[in-house]
Amino acid sequence: MAIARDGTGMGTTARALWSQVHPVFMTPPLAASVFGAILAGTVAPLLAAIHLVAMFAAVYTAHVKDGYVDFYVRDEDDDHPLTERGCRLALGLSTATVALCCIALAVIVDIVAVTLVVPTWLIAYHHAPQLDTNPVTATTGYPLGIALSVLGGYYVQATTISAVSLAFAVVFLVLLSGIKVIDDAQDYAYDRSIEKRTVAVAVGPDRAYDVAYGLMATALLAVIGLAIGRLFPVTALLAALAFAAVAGIARRAGPELATMLLIRGSYVFLAVLVAAVQFEPLAGFV
């Protein structure tokens, strides 16, 4: 049976499988893994690579399962590059990859490293159709995966979870939850028609915007407070200012443009934090 819906052959199959790699949503979890490793101070490349591959496979799982549910179960999408068999194969490959990475981390690091990876796959696999129908889990699933990526990337290097790594993870959880609320608001009309209860459906688009920007403001205020308290480097203030500038522009845009701006703003936020940690190491504060 074919794996790709639009043809056969190695090239067509490879393109269909690769189509489930969505860089906009794939980049933050992978960057979070690297950021976690950098926070630890000394980076062991092999451990960083294993955790990075595990995060890639977990996010890939989410993309394949979400596409499968939206096209084959909910009849929400107009097209999908993979057949049902192709989706099952892709899910099997990504799940096996996560499992192999977990085995490697259990042997090289310890079982705690595994417990920080497994939940990312569970969130990814169950996002659709289970978690994405509840306002809380629909909003926090992806951000929680990124928070776990930060903690896991840190733990495989340091074999501990410090106050600073936990604080960064919580900041990302809150900030990205705000962005996710805006992202979900794009599909308000359709989600409401199928009784999919995102925050926008639960409280209305206007209040959803208030919730979203309230969450983002809380995260930025936390960064400012933690930088003043010297748990974060002082230069982390620049990350908060940079994202605040983007959020100010996005606040006046519609859901689609706002989502695009905020996601890219989160890239800037993370990049500035990486630079802040690199130029002002946290060894004295961890």
Side-chain angles (χ1 to χ4, degrees), residues 8 67 72 86 89 93 104 107-108 118 141 209 214-215 221 251 261 270:
T8 58
Y72 290 105
L89 175 63
L93 290 173
V107 172
I108 302 173
V118 171
Y209 264 63
L215 287 169
L221 288 173
R251 188 71 175 89
L261 291 171
L270 179 57

Side-chain angles (χ1 to χ4, degrees), residues 189-200:
Y190 180 80
D191 290 342
R192 186 180 181 186
S193 72
I194 63 172
E195 299 182 352
K196 182 177 176 180
R197 289 183 57 78
T198 62
V199 172

Side-chain angles (χ1 to χ4, degrees), residues 5-226:
R5 292 183 66 242
D6 60 353
T8 58
M10 292 291 291
T12 301
T13 298
R15 284 192 296 273
L17 291 170
W18 187 253
S19 71
Q20 300 307 289
V21 176
H22 306 307
V24 170
F25 294 102
M26 184 73 78
T27 301
L30 302 186
S33 172
V34 174
F35 179 64
I38 292 172
L39 276 179
T42 302
V43 179
L46 176 61
L47 294 176
I50 293 172
H51 188 263
L52 194 69
V53 171
M55 293 303 97
F56 176 90
V59 181
Y60 187 85
T61 297
H63 290 166
V64 174
K65 182 72 180 299
D66 190 57
Y68 170 80
V69 170
D70 285 347
F71 184 71
Y72 290 105
V73 179
R74 291 174 173 160
D75 196 26
E76 180 176 342
D77 290 344
D78 296 327
D79 193 15
H80 191 67
L82 293 170
T83 62
E84 290 190 69
R85 180 175 181 268
C87 289
R88 289 193 293 270
L89 175 63
L91 287 171
L93 290 173
S94 62
T95 299
T97 301
V98 172
L100 289 172
C101 290
C102 285
I103 292 171
L105 291 174
V107 172
I108 302 173
V109 186
D110 57 30
I111 196 64
V112 177
V114 176
T115 64
L116 292 171
V117 170
V118 171
T120 65
W121 180 88
L122 291 172
I123 293 169
Y125 187 82
H126 293 290
H127 174 73
Q130 292 88 3
L131 300 180
D132 69 350
T133 57
N134 177 279
V136 175
T137 52
T139 300
T140 60
Y142 178 73
L144 180 57
I146 291 178
L148 288 169
S149 185
V150 172
L151 292 177
Y154 182 91
Y155 186 87
V156 299
Q157 303 292 333
T159 61
T160 188
I161 295 177
S162 66
V164 70
S165 63
L166 185 60
F168 271 117
V170 171
V171 164
F172 280 117
L173 172 61
V174 176
L175 182 80
L176 294 171
S177 291
I179 297 176
K180 188 63 168 60
V181 171
I182 301 294
D183 183 33
D184 288 340
Q186 296 183 71
D187 301 319
Y188 167 73
Y190 180 80
D191 290 342
R192 186 180 181 186
S193 72
I194 63 172
E195 299 182 352
K196 182 177 176 180
R197 289 183 57 78
T198 62
V199 172
V201 173
V203 304
D206 292 339
R207 290 188 63 188
Y209 264 63
D210 294 337
V211 170
Y213 285 97
L215 287 169
M216 287 183 272
T218 298
L220 297 182
L221 288 173
V223 171
I224 293 170
L226 291 167

